[in-house]
């Protein structure tokens, strides 16, 4: 079955770190751009990070710059979002997604989600004080 399976969410204290994994099943993740989106209660979904396919160029939302890191392991068909220095504003459901255009499309500072055709089920990240 073609799907993305996400794991690694959980609860962490302020200042802590978490790494989310996004594994592809029945398709080659290397050929896709990988984006990470999050949605907090009562808020719209926002893109936080993206890594392109061809040259692994990465993009981060201002809220994630310097704290989040995105990598991919093509041999494992998996991408990762490492989150550090977490704060309560990072609490959300995080989704990874795959874009067959293989690049990260950013419009006016916002990661465009329309081209992301495969979405993982989402994982809850809770940052507590």
């Amino acid at each position: 079955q073609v799907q993305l399976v996400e794991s690694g969410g959980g609860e962490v204290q302020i200042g802590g770190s978490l790494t989310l994994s996004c594994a592809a099943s029945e398709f080659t993740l290397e050929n896709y751009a990988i984006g990470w989106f999050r949605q907090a209660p009562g808020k719209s979904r926002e893109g936080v990070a993206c890594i392109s396919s061809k040259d692994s160029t990465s993009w981060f939302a201002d809220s994630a710059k310097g704290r989040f890191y995105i990598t991919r392991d093509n041999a494992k068909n998996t991408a990762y979002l490492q989150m550090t220095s977490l704060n309560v504003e990072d609490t959300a459901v995080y989704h990874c997604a795959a874009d067959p255009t293989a690049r990260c499309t950013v419009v006016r500072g916002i990661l465009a989600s329309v081209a992301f055709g495969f979405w993982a089920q989402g994982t809850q990240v809770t940052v507590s004080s």
Side-chain angles (χ1 to χ4, degrees):
Q1 182 179 359
V2 175
Q3 62 178 347
L4 286 172
V5 178
E6 193 171 356
S7 61
E11 185 169 355
V12 64
Q13 292 188 325
I14 292 173
S17 300
L18 278 176
T19 298
L20 306 182
S21 300
C22 179
S25 176
E26 302 296 331
F27 71 99
T28 302
L29 204 58
E30 181 179 3
N31 299 327
Y32 293 74
I34 303 301
W36 292 86
F37 298 80
R38 68 184 182 187
Q39 187 163 19
K43 295 187 177 181
S44 300
R45 184 177 62 194
E46 64 167 337
V48 295
C50 184
I51 185 168
S52 67
S53 168
K54 299 188 183 304
D55 58 6
S56 292
T57 301
S58 58
W59 169 90
F60 297 92
D62 288 345
S63 60
K65 285 178 182 175
R67 301 188 302 124
F68 291 10
Y69 306 91
I70 186 169
T71 57
R72 59 198 308 154
D73 185 335
N74 293 329
K76 295 183 177 180
N77 215 24
T78 301
Y80 305 93
L81 181 69
Q82 182 184 6
M83 305 183 292
T84 66
S85 300
L86 287 164
N87 55 58
V88 293
E89 289 76 25
D90 296 315
T91 296
V93 176
Y94 284 72
H95 298 266
C96 66
D99 180 348
T101 68
R103 61 180 184 268
C104 303
T105 301
V106 179
V107 179
R108 297 178 183 175
I110 298 174
L111 180 63
S113 63
V114 64
F116 286 88
F118 296 106
W119 289 80
Q121 77 282 9
T123 188
Q124 176 70 45
V125 172
T126 301
V127 184
S128 58
S129 57

